[in-house]
């Protein structure tokens, strides 16, 4: 069984490979292939991947590292996709251009997310086409590549028969943080209901061993004014970073907003990303327009990985723990196990609505729980959603749909409408200013807009 990782040079590749290798028996994996368009970057990452497979876990899994599509995908059963079109240099633009105009500067939310979407749609279609051409007929593409909401809408519209499931690790990361905050040892024991769009959803219930834990989560946040485990809060006070990429630097503000959002709207527990839409002004105030999350990531996760590889080449010593991503790699690997072994385990996935949320459009790409087996996701139907959530979701959904339509038609008008409709943007004039700057910054990446 062959698993191909598209975006093999990603900072998440070592963690994902480790999760796969730890599950080698259930996955019956014999070969892992790394595919990237940046040979130099991927070759470096492959050094640590090779070490994980051969030295750390002593597996006999074959490793192939390539920039050739045919070699990458031929006979693959799974493709784990995690490409970042334009890499961190373009993420920095996505975050900094809106902030110049006093708007949210975020990788997947607001104008930055829309811009990233316009860059990613067509490269993702190529991944799908290459997989279709070379991989096993019953292959599955499990896609993390962001912005997953726009990518999944593009898949629905442009490749409706593609064997792709779009996923996100944020809900499970929230569950992990909650488990640690409440002293629950194993976060996978927490069960939950959820609905939304990607990076735009709500937990409607959460239980541990049958006990409703949402009241405890709320009480915990009231006490600490933040949703992070006490040990992390202590580290933050001492200016130390927690050993969790979701709880460092600018992410800390995000976990503070979890408390405020839940105080105002106590019915459900929001996804962290809703802060950009509900506490928009505050998100802009909390940001440093000259130093955004892209800079933080380049100075930490990316630097640590590549410095670690240099160090290994010089000394032969490596700190394996530094490259283990935990929940992120486990989530995608466990999803592959469910598909392959027909386990019918429950996962959150981004799928076409088809009535699962009755008062959302039939063709909306929604993030909802589904049972996963050999035939793919069996989505669990829910009841109508409330007017507040539905109104927010419709605005966001149509903004994202306009990006996909605008990309396909090369329509400046539709892209301007998408930017204007986005809740984080205060006026059409500001939308146009940001868009015009972004067209300049994205030359060579965006389709031509007329
Ligand atoms: P990264 O820049 O370190 O890695 C991305 C890699 O993709 C790079 O090596 C780049 O060269 C490669 N790439 C770019 N275009 C490509 C293409 N067309 N074909 C093959 N490879 C290509 O970025 P990262 O921070 O490690 O993140 C990787 C991706 O995973 C991003 O899209 C990120 O947003 C996404 N991500 C998603 C989730 C989720 O919840 N869905 C969680 C974490 C990361
Ligand atoms: C969460 C989201 C991802 C996003 C990531 C950004 O995991 O679910 O979609 O890519 O955060 O994390 P970073 O450390 O790169 O800011
Ligand atoms: Mn995500």
């Amino acid at each position: 069984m062959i698993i191909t990782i598209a975006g093999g040079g990603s900072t998440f590749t070592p963690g994902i490979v480790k999760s796969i290798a730890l599950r080698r028996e259930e996955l019956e994996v014999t070969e892992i292939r790394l595919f990237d368009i940046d040979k130099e970057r991927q070759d470096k990452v492959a050094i640590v991947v090779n070490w994980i497979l051969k030295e750390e876990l002593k597996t006999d899994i074959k490793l192939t590292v390539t920039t050739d599509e045919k070699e990458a995908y031929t006979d693959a059963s799974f493709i784990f996709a995690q490409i970042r079109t334009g890499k961190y240099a373009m993420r920095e633009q996505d975050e900094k251009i809106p902030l110049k105009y006093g708007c949210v500067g975020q990788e997947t939310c607001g104008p930055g997310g829309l811009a990233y979407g316009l860059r990613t749609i067509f490269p993702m279609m190529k991944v799908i086409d290459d997989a279709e051409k070379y991989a096993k007929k019953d292959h599955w593409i499990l896609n993390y590549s962001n912005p997953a909401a726009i990518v999944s809408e593009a898949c629905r519209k442009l490749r409706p028969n593609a064997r792709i499931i779009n996923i996100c690790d944020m809900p499970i990361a929230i569950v992990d943080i909650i488990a640690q905050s409440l002293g629950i040892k194993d976060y996978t024991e927490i069960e939950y209901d959820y609905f939304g769009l990607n990076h735009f959803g709500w937990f409607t219930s959460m239980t541990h061993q049958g006990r409703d834990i949402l009241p405890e989560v709320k009480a915990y946040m009231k006490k600490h004014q933040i949703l992070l485990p006490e040990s992390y809060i202590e580290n933050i006070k001492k200016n130390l970073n927690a050993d969790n990429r979701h709880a460092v630097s600018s992410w800390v503000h995000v976990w503070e907003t979890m408390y405020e959002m839940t105080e105002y709207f106590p019915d459900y527990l929001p996804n962290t990303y809703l802060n950009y839409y509900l506490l928009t002004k505050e998100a802009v105030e909390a940001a440093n327009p000259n130093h955004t999350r892209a800079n933080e990531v380049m100075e930490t996760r990316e630097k640590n990985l590549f410095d670690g590889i240099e160090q290994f080449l010089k000394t032969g010593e490596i700190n394996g723990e530094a490259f283990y991503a935990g929940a992120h790699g486990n989530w995608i690997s466990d999803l592959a196990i469910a598909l392959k072994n027909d386990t019918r385990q429950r996962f959150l996935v981004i799928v076409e609505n088809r009535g699962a949320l009755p008062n959302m459009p039939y063709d909306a790409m929604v993030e909802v729980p589904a049972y996963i087996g050999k035939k793919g996701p069996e989505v669990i139907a829910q009841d109508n959603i409330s007017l507040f959530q539905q109104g927010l979701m419709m605005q966001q959904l149509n903004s994202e749909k306009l990006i996909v339509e605008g990309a396909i038609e090369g329509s400046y008008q539709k892209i301007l409408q998408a930017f204007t409709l986005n809740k984080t943007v205060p006026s059409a004039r500001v939308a146009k200013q940001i868009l015009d700057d972004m067209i300049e910054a994205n030359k060579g990446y965006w389709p031509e807009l007329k």
Side-chain angles (χ1 to χ4, degrees):
M1 215 276 290
I2 300 164
I3 300 179
T4 301
I5 300 183
S10 155
T11 54
F12 293 104
T13 298
I16 290 180
V17 167
K18 188 159 170 183
S19 292
I20 295 171
L22 288 169
R23 291 160 176 73
R24 56 192 178 278
E25 280 171 21
E26 292 111 300
L27 284 167
E28 296 177 274
V29 55
T30 50
E31 182 176 355
I32 293 176
R33 297 195 189 139
L34 305 186
F35 170 75
D36 206 289
I37 52 174
D38 182 338
K39 181 176 181 334
E40 202 192 331
R41 184 182 178 89
Q42 176 169 259
D43 283 348
K44 284 200 186 134
V45 172
I47 294 167
V48 65
V49 167
N50 186 58
W51 175 84
I52 290 168
L53 292 177
K54 303 283 144 55
E55 306 293 323
E56 190 187 23
L57 299 179
K58 308 219 176 332
T59 77
D60 50 15
I61 298 171
K62 182 180 170 196
L63 176 64
T64 302
V65 185
T66 182
T67 54
D68 178 78
E69 287 83 354
K70 186 165 183 226
E71 189 182 7
Y73 296 115
T74 298
D75 290 335
S77 293
F78 284 98
I79 293 96
F80 290 4
Q82 45 163 354
I83 65 171
R84 184 186 285 286
T85 313
K87 295 190 275 192
Y88 294 129
M90 288 310 297
R91 174 176 181 176
E92 192 178 359
Q93 298 294 317
D94 294 339
E95 293 169 348
K96 288 188 176 169
I97 292 171
L99 282 168
K100 273 206 313 200
Y101 297 95
C103 290
V104 166
Q106 216 282 325
E107 164 196 38
T108 61
C109 300
L114 302 179
Y116 188 12
L118 266 172
R119 283 200 304 279
T120 310
I121 292 171
F122 295 108
M124 266 312 295
M125 295 310 114
K126 179 161 164 35
V127 171
I128 291 172
D129 293 345
D130 289 336
E132 177 74 29
K133 191 163 164 196
Y134 299 117
K136 284 229 156 86
K137 282 288 150 266
D138 62 352
H139 71 269
W140 283 104
I141 305 169
L142 307 185
N143 181 53
Y144 263 142
S145 311
N146 268 322
I150 292 172
V151 166
S152 57
E153 168 63 7
C155 295
R156 185 193 68 78
K157 237 182 133 87
L158 294 172
R159 301 291 185 276
N161 300 318
R163 297 179 61 83
I164 184 165
I165 302 176
N166 291 284
I167 52 168
C168 172
D169 68 4
M170 195 70 243
I172 197 68
I174 295 171
V175 169
D176 185 13
I177 291 279
I178 286 174
Q180 291 184 58
S181 300
L182 300 186
I184 295 169
K185 283 207 178 65
D186 180 358
Y187 71 88
T188 64
E189 284 175 10
I190 294 180
E191 293 178 7
Y192 49 85
D193 293 302
Y194 187 96
F195 73 84
L197 311 170
N198 180 236
H199 289 189
F200 205 101
W202 291 265
F203 291 93
T204 56
S205 79
M206 204 176 275
T207 58
H208 180 242
Q209 294 169 346
R211 187 178 89 248
D212 177 6
I213 59 171
L214 278 185
E216 291 168 43
V217 176
K218 284 178 199 159
Y220 184 92
M221 288 195 286
K222 209 174 191 80
K223 182 168 168 208
H224 297 284
Q225 318 259 302
I226 192 169
L227 179 56
L228 282 180
E230 275 169 6
S231 61
Y232 292 16
I233 297 171
E234 286 310 309
N235 280 342
I236 292 164
K237 280 190 201 141
K238 291 186 212 142
N239 264 333
L240 295 171
N241 269 336
D243 182 23
N244 180 326
R245 72 181 173 86
H246 283 121
V248 294
S249 310
S250 54
W251 271 97
V252 172
H253 168 77
V254 172
W255 296 101
E256 286 168 350
T257 67
M258 289 296 273
Y259 167 63
E260 193 174 354
M261 288 191 284
T262 319
E263 278 292 296
Y264 299 156
F265 309 109
D267 289 351
Y268 306 139
L269 188 74
N271 189 301
T272 43
Y273 282 99
L274 279 164
N275 92 86
Y276 298 108
Y277 303 93
L278 299 178
L279 294 165
T280 313
K281 182 169 156 280
E282 293 75 9
V284 175
E285 285 163 4
N288 177 350
N290 302 312
H291 194 266
T292 59
R293 180 69 190 149
N295 301 109
E296 292 174 7
V297 171
M298 287 186 272
E299 290 158 13
T300 55
R301 185 167 71 238
E302 188 185 44
K303 184 174 185 299
N304 294 347
L305 173 61
F306 290 99
D307 283 359
I309 293 163
E310 288 307 318
Q311 186 69 11
F312 174 62
L313 289 176
K314 273 197 217 125
T315 65
E317 307 249 325
I318 204 157
N319 172 14
E321 282 310 302
F323 308 123
Y324 189 41
H328 176 81
N330 294 346
W331 183 245
I332 192 166
S333 307
D334 287 339
L335 181 61
I337 292 175
L339 288 159
K340 179 183 160 292
N341 298 346
D342 205 26
T343 65
R344 310 291 171 103
Q345 207 189 320
R346 207 163 177 253
F347 285 83
L348 280 186
V349 286
I350 305 163
V351 289
E352 186 169 4
N353 183 26
R354 295 185 180 150
L357 306 174
N359 58 342
M360 285 297 290
Y362 189 86
D363 69 356
M365 293 303 287
V366 293
E367 190 165 333
V368 285
Y371 293 104
I372 305 291
K374 250 193 167 47
K375 288 189 282 182
E378 278 182 64
V379 177
I380 299 158
Q382 303 189 31
D383 205 344
N384 280 332
I385 58 175
S386 305
L387 287 183
F388 178 57
Q389 278 78 19
Q390 193 230 24
L392 288 165
M393 277 167 67
M394 282 307 304
Q395 181 176 19
Q396 179 68 9
L397 176 71
N398 286 2
S399 171
E400 291 168 344
K401 274 179 171 286
L402 280 164
I403 287 293
V404 175
E405 288 189 9
I408 295 168
E409 296 165 25
S411 164
Y412 180 92
Q413 178 59 207
K414 285 200 169 168
I415 302 300
L416 179 59
Q417 288 176 355
F419 276 59
T420 307
L421 187 57
N422 200 275
K423 191 176 184 303
T424 63
V425 179
S427 86
R429 186 189 298 169
V430 173
K432 185 171 187 322
Q433 287 167 333
I434 295 174
L435 174 55
D436 289 345
D437 271 20
M438 284 192 155
I439 289 175
E440 277 302 307
N442 281 280
K443 281 221 163 91
Y445 287 113
W446 276 11
E448 199 193 336
L449 302 178
K450 288 199 186 109

